Every structure is written in C-alpha cells, then in structure tokens.
Amino acid sequence: MAPVTSTALDFTIEAALARPTGWSLQRLAAFRDIVRHTALPSDEVPVMFPIAESFRLFMQAMALPQFPLSVLGSVLARNRTEVYRAMRLDEKLMFKCTVGPTLRVTAKGDTEVDLIGTAWSSDSRELVWRSTVTVIVLGRNRVKGRTATGGDGAAVASDAVAEVQMDAYSLGPGVGRHYGWISSDLNPIHVHWTTSQLLGFKRPIAHALFLVGRLEASLRNAGVKPAYPCLLQTEFKRPTLLPAKLAVVWQVPPGIDPGYRAAKEGLDFRLMTTDSPPKEVIVGRLVQGAASGMGGARHVSLGLLAGVVLLLILAVCRKRSAQEPRWAVYIDGGSSGSRVHVFQYGTPTRPHTYASVTLPEASTAVEPGLSAFAHAPHGAGDSLRPLLEFAYLVVPAGAWHATPVRLLATAGLRLVDEPARSHTLDSCRAVLDSSSFAFRHDWATVISGDMEGLFAWVGANYANGALQAASVPAGSGSRKERAGGGGDGGDGGGGGYTGVMELGGASFQVTFMPDTAPSQQAPLMELPVQLPGVHSRLYTHSFLGLGLDSAMAAASAALLQSGERSDPCLPVGFTASDGRQGNASFDACLKMALSVLQVSGCTDAVRAADAARQWHTTTATVATSTTHDAQAREEEQLPGETAARRGSALPTHDGSPDGQAIDAPVQLAGVEGDDMRKRKLQQQQEQQQEQQEQPHTGDRHEQRCSMGGVAVPLLSGSFLAVENLAWTASVLGLSSTASLQELSDAGRAYCATHWSSLQAQFSGHTQERFLTRYCFGAAYTFALLRVGLGIGLHERRLVFTNTLPSK
C-alpha cells in the first residue's frame, strides 16, 4: 500500500561485512537442494541465494536499539530483488545492509521501513545485487481491505489473462528449521512446533524469503531461463503454516513462451494454498532482460548529467581545500524517464583544473518521465523515491547530509504549460527536501536546451580526456598529444574536441566547437560556464519538438488527420491501438520524416554537394577528431553553398537566432536561473536591434538550409551520436562508426521485415513496444543527419554510442 506519510530517519543504521567474501559453496548446495533447483546450471547463483547468504546482516541491523520498529510483532511485507548481471561462483563480494531512509505509515495505519541489502564486486566495484525487504508492524486500528498493489512491490495478478498452474508441491514441517540453518535466521516461529506455539502460531510457519526462493526454482524448472538484468518482485499476503500444500499459477497467454513473456512484459505469478477456495500466499512478477528497465554501469554515461557535475564541481572546488572524496547526486528528468547519477569526486590538486571524477558513475532509471505527471503533479515527487533509495545505497551514510541532490528537468517538462510545470517541480522539491541529502529550492529546475547540449559536450570531452589535456599548461608536452594531435585544444577550431548530437524524446541538440573564424560565428550568447583551457566559443542549439517521440507523435497525428490508416512506418502485420495498419516502407516513411522536420533548402543543397563531393571517409574515433581541411570542405560544396551554410546566425521567421555561440570563459553562476534568462533575453533584443541597423541580408537567409524553421550550421569535426541515435543504430545492427549509407541499407531491411519476424528476432532482447518505432527511427535519423545536417552518405564522422570506456 502506498504510504500516506513518510518521515526521513535522522540517524543511520548500517551493517556490513568487514571484508569481501566469497560464496559458501556448502550453503549454496544446501539452498539449491531445499528450494528444489533442478534446471538451473550448476555454475549459476540463484537470484534469491544472496539474501540467504547475507541475512545475518539484516538481523544485526534489526537487533540494534536504534531500529525504528519493534522486532516482536513485525512481519515481512514485500521483497524486491534486482540482479544486474550473472553472479560468478568464484567472485568475492562486499555485502552491506542499510535501514531506511524513511519510516512510512500506510493508509491502513500500518508502519513500515525498508532494509536494503547490496552486494558490490570487490574487483570492478560495480553493483551486482540489490534486495529491498520491507518490514511492517500492523496498526492497532488498521483499516481492513485489500489493495491492488503493495507499495513498490509486485502488482496483484489481474484476471485479464487466464491463469495456468505450473507447479504444485508439499512442504514438510522441518523446512523452516533447515532454511534457518542456511540463512542464520533461527527465528522460533520457523523452527519448531513448541516455540511457534509460544509466539501464538499453531504450527511453525515457512520463512517468506524461502517461499520466494522456492517460487524462483519453480519458474526456472518450468523453462524460464535466467536473463539479466533480472527483477523479482513479491508481496506477502498471509503466513504459511507447516506442513503445507501449495500451488503456483502464472499468467501466460496460450501459445506464448513464459521466458518470452518475462523478457517482454513481465511474468505475473501467484503462490496459492490448495484449500477450497484457494487463498493467496504470495503474488509477484518476474521481469528479465531489457524489459526490466535496469541498465548496467560499466561505462560512462553520456547524458547531460556527466557535464552538469563537472560544471558545478568547478564552481565550488576553489572554495575548498580538503582532499577527501566528495559525492554529488543528480537526477536527469528526461522526457521518457528520470535517471539518477551518483558521482564521487575529488577536488583539483592545482587551481583552474578539473575535478577528478570517478567514472563510471553509479546510475539507475525509472519510467515514465516527469511530464507524464502534468495532470497529476503529486505523483512526480513519488516517482523520484526509488532513485533516492538507490543513491542512499551508493553514498556512505555518514556523507548523506553533506551530499547535494539536484534535479534538472529537460525538454519533456519544457513542453508542459507553466502552471503544470510549476506544480510538478513543487512535488519533486517536497520529496527532495524531505530526503537525507542536502537540498535547496532552486536545485530543482528546468534547464534550457542550450545548457542541455552544453552539458553533454562537457561530459563527453571530459570522459575522453580532451578537456583535461586543454587545461595542461603550455610547454608540458602532453597537451596536444592528449587532445588527439588536432592542434591546441583550447585555441579555436575543433581540434581534439568531439561534438555531440543528442536525439532525445522531445528535442534534438547539436553542440560542437566550430572551426571558422570568430567573425564568422553566430552572435555571442553568453552562458554561465568557465572551462579551464577552453578559449573558443561553442555552437549549441536545441531543436525543441524534433525529438524522436515528438516526431513520431506528429507523424502519426498527421496520418490520422488525413484519414489514412495505412502507416508506412509501422511493421507489416502490426496494428496500432489507434487503428493504424503497418505497411512499412523505408522510402515512404522517409517522406513522413521529412515532413515532420520541415526542411527547407536542404534537399537541393545535398544533391548539389553530392555532384561535386570527393568523399573523405576517415574513421572517426572518440578521442580523435576527423580532420577536414578547408580545401576538402570547399570541394564538398557548390560555389556559394559553403558561404551560405557557414554564415553567421541569421534571424528566422520569428526573429530568434538560429543558434547560439558560447564564449566559454564566463564565471559559473548557476544553472539557467531567472537572472540568466533575463540576460539572454536582453542580449537577443540587442542583437535584433543591431541586425536591423545593418544592411539587409535576406538573400543569404533564403539560401541556407533550415530545419523546423531554424537555419542549421556547417558542422566541424567528429561527433558522438547519442541517445535515440545510438539506440536506433544498435537495433539495426550497425557498428559504432557506420556511415549513413549503411544506416539507410539497414533501415530498408528493418522496414521490410514482417512484425512476426521482428518479434522472433528480438525475443528476450528488446521490448515489443520499442520494436515498432525503429522503422521510423531509421528513416528519421537518416533524414535528420543526411538532409537536415548535410552529412555525406559515406562519411564516418559519427560515433553512435551511449557509453565511453572509462579512463
């Protein structure tokens, strides 16, 4: 049941092993035997074994006098166990149990608290396993009645799909005692008839976590093979008196493989008594693979938060002399979901250099995005609670109160009207303010698209070492080497730096360092950022409304409005809920994508450039820019085209600049606050006045390629193509340095594949709800990059990726 009140604990309870430990193979063998694992390979560690292995830490935490509930009379209410990868028999893990961070009272009057166990690899320091056990004390005057869900636990199986019995078994009177020997939980209510009667039970009761382990074994034995990441959620309904006869039922439509169901939508199941009528003992859900929504953390995230933490650390590091590690928590409020990034960093060893950030950062995400709560803003704050709980696990408890937590919302919330946006942010601020982290009202905000693109650029160039190389004093001999040999990384040109193209759900950002002279750049638009060693301006622009989700919605709406139901961007054999019938064709879908982009002057420019182009297909890498000299660029354009596309920013139909050039050496004052917006507005007004006083240049504007009514820049150097650009390339099976010709070919093949074949091909890897978007995604990506930005068919200046190997 969802809590009606939540109070942050003002103290820390934590129990941890003093050193990394390996698995007890004797206990593991006993566990597999008692829960009846017969199909799981012998070298696989069951999902529910780590909690049996580490439950003594849970018991130690509950035995401490600071534990907020009375242990006597408390029961287990729910369990949520997450496994991020397969656990090896030979690895050593660091186990920890943390209580809290909040004490909650439910609508029924019950009081509950979480005990959160974690296991981290001692070698890679990655989070491998996490299990949340909710302990509850029933209220004296509790309101009776059944709820549809249990807090953050598993949804009760619905009756929409017929249930099928998959297993039935008997439990003897001694299983509670045997499990207690394995888990070290020799609670009297589990071990013997006499001791259980002294505590009010007629017979011993089965341990709830043993029953979950037995359920997992039933699923595996029935053919649901392990896939990672894996999420197993359970809610405990009633105690099971031993001995007992139980049955397991699951919800699987006829003809559907249960493993496929678990990977696509989640597999719902129930543990029932065999009484007449049967009673629920446990309800739960197993979700595996991509459907779990749990990502790994082996690489550096290229989201905007990687840049945010660097910028904000720069602002405070000069004020601190201490060298101990510090922590920062950032929540990226994207259009399709929210993701928390937990950074550990150390202050610079000398002034005007970069903080040392530990990469990769710990990260996890939830869906939907904050904009989904526009009509119910109170739910926005609650959606952040799982992210805070994750951050509590990463940041040492003693550092919580000194660790700042910030929320930066992006394009999704920018598209929401002001009243709803304000209420949504207020809901989030209330939850963040009640957390154990440091928080201020202005640390939850909606950032501009310009800042979003800037942060992604900073994060990428910090991760590949270009920014650090630029900050090395001249004469050290390492600056050009680490910048990739492309010239002085901070003195103009794109040498050594990597641009970023980010296709989100609601917007498309382009950020890079132009290699044209300052007089040819867009009018100066100052943003509050100071980057050591970077002395050139950046181009950045956010094309709001041109994100993949927004573009798909616009295309489907236009199709329906025309009265047409045959959709050239949906797979053949697929029928959408709004009645559209799949009739996929890459060429026809490309026309729809171009209509959404509203390109003007681009197609003729691309065709003319192709006629005169001499292709340069140097493979782009993350650390080294693809170098195009001035002569090569001139050869790629017809006379007049280069000047038209390279010219300074020109006013669009509404008078706004087509992009912003950022002068880097400006002191960081904050993130897109009211003062910043006022300054930007004033600068725009001054630029418009200057342009009105200058000679008319309308012919020049008409010659330029524009997208969505905004003139596009002439690109310089190599780029990381991230977010939906990278996801699309990955599903199409492309390499990270694929050309647009290869993307076009793969897109045609994908669009030509029948829906049933796509389902079979991507079973266990990609959710079905995503498979329907990649024909459009391929066509839209091609239209965006080829027609909109003018990238050549055979160029390899793009690196499609959402991660970078950490340095």
Side-chain angles (χ1 to χ4, degrees):
M1 169 166 291
V4 294
T5 63
S6 179
T7 305
L9 300 177
D10 57 1
F11 50 84
T12 301
I13 300 177
E14 187 176 279
L17 296 183
R19 58 182 179 275
T21 183
W23 303 110
S24 167
L25 298 184
Q26 181 180 4
R27 280 196 295 269
L28 176 57
F31 178 85
R32 293 172 64 102
D33 180 65
I34 195 174
V35 300
R36 300 293 189 266
H37 268 296
T38 60
L40 192 70
S42 59
D43 59 349
E44 286 269 3
V45 178
V47 168
M48 292 305 296
F49 178 65
I51 199 167
E53 184 84 322
S54 62
F55 200 74
R56 57 191 183 276
L57 294 178
F58 288 71
M59 296 173 61
Q60 291 174 10
M62 288 188 287
L64 293 173
Q66 296 92 344
F67 189 71
L69 299 181
S70 172
V71 177
L72 289 177
S74 63
V75 295
L76 303 187
R78 296 183 297 278
N79 176 243
R80 175 187 172 98
T81 295
E82 305 162 36
V83 182
Y84 296 91
R85 62 163 172 78
M87 296 174 284
R88 303 188 307 273
L89 291 180
D90 61 346
E91 67 180 326
K92 292 187 176 181
L93 300 173
M94 298 175 290
F95 285 96
K96 180 174 70 173
C97 176
T98 304
V99 178
T102 60
L103 187 67
R104 304 181 295 273
V105 177
T106 72
K108 285 187 174 183
D110 304 329
T111 305
E112 62 182 36
V113 70
D114 293 332
L115 290 94
I116 306 168
T118 54
W120 298 75
S121 169
S122 61
D123 296 328
S124 63
R125 301 284 174 171
E126 63 179 323
L127 182 63
V128 176
W129 168 88
R130 177 179 186 255
S131 187
T132 302
V133 176
T134 300
V135 178
I136 190 169
V137 172
L138 304 181
R140 294 182 179 179
N141 300 314
R142 70 192 308 263
V143 178
K144 294 185 178 181
R146 177 173 163 183
T147 59
T149 62
D152 296 329
V156 173
S158 97
D159 296 327
V161 179
E163 293 183 327
V164 179
Q165 180 173 311
M166 65 167 172
D167 198 4
Y169 46 82
S170 298
L171 299 177
V175 294
R177 181 168 61 254
H178 296 157
Y179 182 79
W181 290 339
I182 297 171
S183 66
S184 301
D185 185 6
L186 293 171
N187 189 321
I189 62 176
H190 301 309
V191 299
H192 199 272
W193 292 63
T194 303
T195 54
S196 62
Q197 288 174 353
L198 291 174
L199 295 174
F201 292 93
K202 295 180 180 180
R203 305 194 302 270
I205 65 172
H207 198 295
L209 296 176
F210 158 74
L211 294 176
V212 179
R214 187 69 177 84
L215 276 167
E216 180 198 359
S218 294
L219 292 167
R220 301 306 183 203
N221 297 342
V224 182
K225 297 180 180 180
Y228 302 95
C230 174
L231 171 62
L232 180 60
Q233 302 178 90
T234 48
E235 180 184 356
F236 310 129
K237 292 297 186 179
R238 58 177 35 83
T240 298
L241 298 176
L242 299 171
K245 293 183 178 181
L246 302 172
V248 183
V249 297
W250 60 12
Q251 288 187 321
V252 180
I256 298 297
D257 178 73
Y260 177 86
R261 177 82 171 190
K264 292 301 178 184
E265 302 176 17
L267 179 62
D268 294 319
F269 55 84
R270 294 197 291 173
L271 181 65
M272 311 287 291
T273 67
T274 56
D275 302 336
S276 181
K279 301 181 181 65
E280 284 183 337
V281 176
I282 294 176
V283 297
R285 166 171 284 196
L286 174 68
V287 191
Q288 298 190 146
S292 68
M294 298 152 46
R298 289 177 173 265
H299 295 80
V300 181
S301 168
L302 292 180
L304 66 93
L305 269 303
V308 171
V309 73
L310 299 173
L311 298 178
L312 296 185
I313 287 173
L314 285 170
V316 300
C317 64
R318 296 187 181 90
K319 302 177 183 178
R320 297 171 174 169
S321 58
Q323 297 300 312
E324 70 274 11
R326 302 180 184 276
W327 299 84
V329 178
Y330 286 88
I331 299 176
D332 174 3
S335 57
S336 58
S338 297
R339 176 172 289 275
V340 64
H341 300 255
V342 185
F343 294 94
Q344 183 181 10
Y345 66 95
T347 54
T349 57
R350 54 190 175 82
H352 305 295
T353 55
Y354 292 90
S356 174
V357 181
T358 300
L359 296 174
E361 80 279 15
S363 176
T364 192
V366 296
E367 293 182 352
L370 297 178
S371 57
F373 300 97
H375 299 294
H378 61 278
D382 288 337
S383 73
L384 303 183
R385 295 187 189 277
L387 303 182
L388 290 173
E389 291 179 3
F390 176 85
Y392 289 128
L393 298 175
V394 180
V395 180
W400 286 352
H401 294 291
T403 298
V405 58
R406 291 177 170 88
L407 167 66
L408 302 177
T410 56
L413 213 52
R414 287 200 299 270
L415 291 171
V416 175
D417 61 82
E418 175 55 36
R421 181 166 61 243
S422 178
H423 292 320
T424 301
L425 284 177
D426 286 343
S427 172
C428 296
R429 288 170 179 142
V431 170
L432 297 177
D433 192 46
S434 67
S435 74
S436 297
F437 296 122
F439 177 73
R440 293 199 323 231
H441 184 274
D442 58 346
W443 287 356
T445 187
V446 179
I447 65 172
S448 70
D450 302 329
M451 293 300 290
E452 188 175 353
L454 173 67
F455 292 150
W457 185 90
V458 172
N461 285 281
Y462 178 92
N464 68 23
L467 288 178
Q468 297 91 316
S471 68
V472 175
S476 66
S478 63
R479 186 173 181 178
K480 291 184 180 181
E481 295 171 4
R482 291 199 56 192
D488 191 340
D491 294 337
Y497 296 115
T498 300
V500 177
M501 297 179 186
E502 181 176 2
L503 180 60
S507 63
F508 172 61
Q509 280 80 234
V510 180
T511 306
F512 65 101
M513 182 174 288
D515 60 1
T516 52
S519 61
Q520 295 176 295
Q521 294 301 322
L524 176 66
M525 178 61 68
E526 293 183 355
L527 293 181
V529 53
Q530 180 177 358
L531 302 177
V534 180
H535 307 298
S536 297
R537 296 181 296 179
L538 299 177
Y539 171 92
T540 185
H541 185 74
S542 177
F543 294 83
L544 189 60
L546 295 189
L548 184 60
D549 293 343
S550 297
M552 288 182 62
S556 59
L559 186 73
L560 291 172
Q561 188 174 7
S562 69
E564 182 62 58
R565 291 295 181 269
S566 177
D567 193 326
C569 298
L570 288 178
V572 174
F574 177 83
T575 301
S577 59
D578 56 13
R580 287 176 295 138
Q581 299 287 330
N583 187 26
S585 163
F586 183 84
D587 291 333
C589 188
L590 180 59
K591 292 180 180 179
M592 288 185 63
L594 289 171
S595 68
V596 172
L597 283 177
Q598 300 177 29
V599 292
S600 175
C602 300
T603 304
D604 291 341
V606 169
R607 288 174 178 169
D610 285 346
R613 191 182 301 267
Q614 294 181 4
W615 299 110
H616 299 269
T617 57
T618 303
T619 300
T621 63
V622 169
T624 306
S625 301
T626 302
T627 303
H628 298 271
D629 58 26
Q631 180 180 358
R633 282 192 300 272
E634 294 297 337
E635 290 172 346
E636 293 178 356
Q637 310 285 348
L638 285 183
E641 177 66 8
T642 298
R645 296 195 58 191
R646 187 184 297 187
S648 60
L650 296 170
T652 61
H653 60 279
D654 61 354
S656 62
D658 65 275
Q660 284 77 40
I662 303 172
D663 192 8
V666 179
Q667 179 62 39
L668 175 65
V671 178
E672 191 63 36
D674 292 337
D675 292 340
M676 173 186 166
R677 283 189 286 267
K678 291 178 181 178
R679 185 167 68 253
K680 289 178 66 175
L681 179 60
Q682 181 180 359
Q683 291 172 344
Q684 289 178 353
Q685 293 172 344
E686 292 173 353
Q687 292 165 12
Q688 292 174 13
Q689 183 175 357
E690 292 176 0
Q691 292 167 356
Q692 291 174 358
E693 296 172 353
Q694 294 174 352
H696 176 63
T697 57
D699 293 341
R700 190 179 183 187
H701 175 242
E702 292 173 1
Q703 294 173 3
R704 295 192 63 184
C705 167
S706 67
M707 188 167 56
V710 178
V712 298
L714 177 68
L715 303 180
S716 300
S718 62
F719 286 80
L720 296 180
V722 304
E723 295 298 330
N724 283 312
L725 296 174
W727 299 131
T728 300
S730 176
V731 169
L732 295 179
L734 299 174
S735 70
S736 60
T737 57
S739 68
L740 294 189
Q741 180 65 65
E742 292 167 339
L743 185 147
S744 173
D745 294 341
R748 291 177 189 278
Y750 189 94
C751 292
T753 304
H754 193 276
W755 173 236
S756 60
S757 298
L758 290 176
Q759 290 175 301
Q761 179 181 347
F762 291 93
S763 174
H765 302 288
T766 306
Q767 295 183 57
E768 288 186 2
R769 64 191 178 103
F770 293 137
L771 291 179
T772 58
R773 63 194 273 134
Y774 287 117
C775 178
F776 180 86
Y780 188 70
T781 297
F782 183 84
L784 192 67
L785 302 179
R786 171 68 171 143
V787 181
L789 295 180
I791 297 176
L793 277 174
H794 302 286
E795 285 187 281
R796 296 188 184 273
R797 68 194 307 171
L798 301 177
V799 178
F800 294 93
T801 182
N802 279 318
T803 58
L804 281 174
S806 57
K807 291 277 184 176

